Amino acid sequence: MLHSSPSRRKLFSLAVLFVVTPSLSAGQVGVRFDDVTRQAFGRVPAEKSFGAGAWGDYDGDGDPDLFLGNHAEFPSLWRNNGDGTFTDVAATMFSVYQRADSHGAAWGDYDGDGDLDLIECVGAKLGTGQGPNRLWRNDYPSPFVDVAAAAGVDDPFARSRSPLWFDWNDDGRLDLMVTAFPGPGSVDRLFTQQSNGLFIENGAAVGFFGSGGNSRSVQLGDFDSDGALELILQANQFPTRFYEFDARGFTSDQQLGGIKPISHGADFLAEDLDGDLSFDFYVSRYAYWSKSEVAIGPDGAFRASSEVDRGTYAFSFKSAGDVTVDFGGEVKPGSVFLGKDRVLATSLTVKASDPRAVGIPPSGPVSKPELYVCRESDSDQWLVILRTPVSMSFGMELRTTTDFREAWSSLPKRQDSPDGLLVSSASAKYRYPDLNTSSRSVVGGDFDNDGDIHLYVVRSGPVLNLPNRLLENREGSQLIHIAEAAGAEGSPYGVGDSVSIVDFDQDGFLDLLLTNGDGLPPFNDDGRMTLLRNRGNGNRWLEVDLRGNQSNATGVGARVYVTTSEGMQLRCQAGGIHRSTQNHERLHFGLGGASRVSEVRVIWPGTDQETVLRDLAVNQVITISE
């Protein structure tokens, strides 16, 4: 951490971060995570949790609660009981709810009444129908009421993805930006709130035109350190579009400070990693849906997944037992055949002794995708053949009464794009700190409360998740792998989607929530939501809630500087949003061994007014009002 003035402008000065090996142990770092999912929720939730995951204190009791959209299932609203456990109150609080293609969600007090409302982004049935967004107005303890259509933010034909609450025109009212998958009638939208509490979609009128692509993520911050807020939108590359704005409107640029865009972006982090009070960037890069994979899982199942062009594809393995096939995608039950005579399979379990499975069928054209399960007559060698006249996606899982050995496929090998790190530098060049790390979601937080921002990345996979990684930041000069992610490697099952950070038990140490379940069937059904509790250590901390007055109700856009004997730190109240997910908005500062906080300085958005508090005790949650 560096002692610097918060008012100085600094675009890019030389700094270097890199990953070294061997990794550190959790004990060396002083951080350890425990999976407390069952204890916290009373069960391990079985719903597909990918998409909307949003932390916010909807009932005003000081404890962060959790909304999960659960994609096309009924949502969950986990009320924090304040004792380390949660109760799902969705059936009571969402008494009128229709299941939908739920994606990102975000809490925000848009009507300024002191409680948090919720925007839920909904897809429009793959662009073939309607899927209106939901704006859940909170009048606690009454149930939520969907006012999206009345307020003007329902946008029923959009394939909405991620929301962002922010006050772009500095009138003290939260406005809303929603990213979208492009299609007929579907683009990124800017909704500006009027004095009557209703919204108008006026992006084009004020110079906002979105990213022009499949915007996966949008974030708010003072990215060029000029004292004003900007937006970054990320579609397939980072950054896809960079917007400066003030009360007069938006000015767009495809580049930020000379950064050359980097492709295959999935998510990104904007934090001060090297302690110079300016933003650095970490870009998650892993377009998992375009990859192929064959693997034998820890449970012994043979798993295969791919998007393929028309043609013939083969998979082979050895097994002495019977084989049961479970498939997804476009391979249907009436399209599975056995052996050289192409006998239609009447059961998805093929006996090793079944003579109909012996031999390989002759090649030839097919009118629809067909799957052949074949076995050699004199050995335990099996061959599975896929023939398709069209491009298609598929997932396939096989189980056996013995075990699988020597798995192979003719699918193209998966090629990952390594995550990129952009530290403020004169050349604005990306670094690839670990060529073996590609990920789908990233968060930054001071997990060991030593005063530095550390990184946690979710690593996905078509059939098996790669172990997630926790990277220790050593004073802005090194990023070091922590062995086994200090207990936070996550499950190999499902398709890892996103991560959010929260201090759910308010012990001063940041915890992690993992969502799971995206991707192709049957693999999207065996993931689960995971809550990882940080055990903590002896380091000190401070957490800050903001309450706006002239600015918006929760101070979105404010910059907060905390100074102790160990240095100065910066956080931006940016709403907690990254791809489809909302971290808890409460700002967290690790203070190392500091015994007092010398100063907390808040620069409020729009007005640049400052609130300064001095000589504060450590290890507490404080609320600062404008």
Side-chain angles (χ1 to χ4, degrees):
M1 295 172 295
L2 302 180
H3 302 267
S4 298
S5 166
S7 63
R8 68 188 178 95
R9 175 182 173 89
K10 179 177 185 301
L11 281 175
F12 297 106
S13 65
L14 186 61
V16 177
L17 277 83
F18 55 91
V19 172
V20 299
T21 54
S23 61
L24 295 171
S25 69
Q28 288 175 298
V29 176
V31 62
R32 184 74 189 180
F33 290 92
D34 295 322
D35 184 345
V36 297
T37 310
R38 187 178 297 278
Q39 301 94 300
F41 300 105
R43 60 185 175 89
V44 177
E47 299 89 351
K48 301 174 188 176
S49 57
F50 86 94
W55 289 97
D57 180 15
Y58 82 92
D59 56 4
D61 64 357
D63 299 312
D65 311 300
L66 173 65
F67 173 81
L68 286 175
N70 296 331
H71 200 49
E73 305 299 327
F74 195 81
S76 301
L77 179 60
W78 293 101
R79 179 174 58 82
N80 192 329
N81 299 320
D83 59 1
T85 67
F86 294 79
T87 301
D88 189 357
V89 297
T92 300
M93 295 304 297
F94 297 104
S95 56
V96 179
Y97 190 94
Q98 292 184 341
R99 298 184 183 188
D101 184 13
S102 181
H103 288 278
W107 297 98
D109 183 7
Y110 85 92
D111 53 7
D113 65 353
D115 51 29
L116 292 177
D117 312 292
L118 183 74
I119 179 68
E120 180 186 3
C121 293
V122 177
K125 299 180 181 179
L126 300 178
T128 63
Q130 296 188 41
N133 300 324
R134 283 86 176 265
L135 176 56
W136 298 104
R137 190 185 68 215
N138 184 6
D139 295 307
Y140 185 79
S142 299
F144 290 91
V145 178
D146 179 14
V147 298
V153 298
D154 54 332
D155 202 9
F157 294 99
R159 303 177 68 179
S160 301
R161 289 301 186 261
S162 291
L164 174 69
W165 291 111
F166 73 118
D167 179 14
W168 74 264
N169 56 3
D170 296 330
D171 62 1
R173 294 184 290 268
L174 283 176
D175 307 306
L176 177 65
M177 188 255 152
V178 179
T179 71
F181 193 101
S186 181
V187 295
D188 300 336
R189 304 278 191 195
L190 176 69
F191 300 94
T192 300
Q193 187 177 173
Q194 307 300 292
S195 58
N196 59 4
L198 304 182
F199 294 79
I200 60 171
E201 197 283 299
N202 65 337
V206 297
F208 178 83
F209 299 96
S211 75
N214 178 12
S215 298
R216 297 184 175 96
S217 187
V218 56
Q219 291 191 38
L220 175 75
D222 180 11
F223 301 116
D224 57 7
S225 303
D226 66 351
L229 294 171
E230 296 91 29
L231 284 181
I232 291 179
L233 281 83
Q234 175 183 290
N236 183 56
Q237 63 185 22
F238 173 84
T240 303
R241 186 70 64 174
F242 171 67
Y243 282 95
E244 295 182 314
F245 61 90
D246 57 28
R248 296 168 296 179
F250 291 75
T251 302
S252 68
D253 194 340
Q254 285 186 301
Q255 293 190 349
L256 163 63
I259 299 173
K260 184 179 180 180
I262 184 174
S263 64
H264 302 300
D267 194 8
F268 72 95
L269 167 80
E271 291 282 2
D272 176 16
L273 298 178
D274 57 358
D276 65 356
L277 304 181
S278 63
F279 281 95
D280 311 299
F281 302 97
Y282 185 96
V283 184
S284 290
R285 304 175 69 217
Y286 185 22
Y288 79 93
W289 50 85
S290 65
K291 309 300 181 182
S292 302
E293 185 173 38
V294 170
I296 298 175
D299 60 353
F302 177 92
R303 303 159 73 95
S305 175
S306 188
E307 286 187 345
V308 295
D309 295 326
R310 57 187 178 183
T312 299
Y313 302 87
F315 314 85
S316 70
F317 52 84
K318 288 186 176 181
S319 174
D322 304 336
V323 173
T324 299
V325 183
D326 182 14
F327 44 77
E330 300 171 43
V331 179
K332 306 303 180 184
S335 301
V336 180
F337 301 90
L338 304 180
K340 61 182 178 58
D341 295 326
R342 298 181 69 253
V343 178
L344 181 66
T346 57
S347 170
L348 295 183
T349 296
V350 182
K351 298 285 187 181
S353 58
D354 190 341
R356 297 176 302 170
V358 173
I360 299 175
S363 60
V366 294
S367 60
K368 62 181 181 179
E370 294 185 354
L371 193 73
Y372 307 92
V373 182
C374 311
R375 184 180 56 79
E376 290 186 357
S377 60
D378 56 352
S379 74
D380 57 2
Q381 184 77 47
W382 293 74
L383 185 68
V384 177
I385 301 171
L386 171 67
R387 290 177 182 163
T388 175
V390 295
S391 298
M392 62 174 288
S393 60
F394 75 93
M396 178 176 61
E397 182 178 71
L398 289 79
R399 295 183 179 273
T400 179
T401 52
T402 57
D403 64 326
F404 289 112
R405 309 182 310 280
E406 300 180 22
W408 172 88
S409 85
S410 65
L411 294 173
K413 292 186 180 296
R414 187 178 72 199
Q415 295 182 357
D416 297 332
S417 301
D419 289 356
L421 178 68
L422 184 67
V423 179
S424 303
S425 62
S427 59
K429 289 184 177 179
Y430 288 95
R431 303 178 187 278
Y432 301 93
D434 182 355
L435 295 179
N436 295 314
T437 295
S438 59
S439 64
R440 194 178 181 203
S441 184
V442 56
V443 290
D446 191 353
F447 299 110
D448 58 4
N449 284 354
D450 68 349
D452 295 308
I453 296 289
H454 314 294
L455 303 178
Y456 180 84
V457 297
V458 171
R459 305 172 73 210
S460 191
V463 301
L464 289 172
N465 292 326
L466 298 169
N468 299 333
R469 286 185 170 167
L470 181 63
L471 303 176
E472 163 82 0
N473 179 4
R474 285 294 172 91
E475 297 182 346
S477 63
Q478 294 178 323
L479 287 176
I480 307 173
H481 287 303
I482 300 177
E484 299 176 344
E489 285 188 312
S491 170
Y493 298 113
V495 179
D497 178 54
S498 194
V499 56
S500 56
I501 52 177
V502 61
D503 179 10
F504 80 90
D505 52 2
Q506 300 192 81
D507 64 353
F509 287 85
L510 292 174
D511 312 302
L512 297 166
L513 179 90
L514 310 180
T515 60
N516 216 330
D518 198 356
L520 295 171
F523 310 121
N524 58 354
D525 289 327
D526 60 4
R528 64 183 179 93
M529 176 255 283
T530 304
L531 182 62
L532 298 165
R533 180 181 180 271
N534 191 339
R535 291 184 189 177
N537 55 42
N539 287 337
R540 280 68 178 271
W541 53 274
L542 182 74
E543 293 182 346
V544 178
D545 289 331
L546 299 178
R547 297 291 178 264
N549 184 7
Q550 289 179 292
S551 60
N552 63 84
T554 52
V556 173
R559 288 164 287 158
V560 180
Y561 297 85
V562 169
T563 303
T564 69
S565 59
E566 300 197 1
M568 179 185 289
Q569 300 181 54
L570 165 65
R571 302 285 187 273
C572 181
Q573 164 51 306
I577 286 294
H578 60 117
R579 188 186 58 81
S580 299
T581 304
Q582 185 181 36
N583 303 320
H584 192 209
E585 288 184 290
R586 179 173 289 163
L587 301 177
H588 173 270
F589 297 83
L591 305 180
S595 58
R596 302 288 294 181
V597 176
S598 305
E599 181 181 275
V600 177
R601 181 181 300 269
V602 182
I603 302 178
W604 298 93
T607 65
D608 282 338
Q609 292 185 7
E610 296 187 7
T611 300
V612 180
L613 304 177
R614 293 187 173 90
D615 193 25
L616 301 176
V618 299
N619 296 351
Q620 63 168 327
V621 179
I622 63 173
T623 299
I624 302 178
S625 297
E626 185 177 8

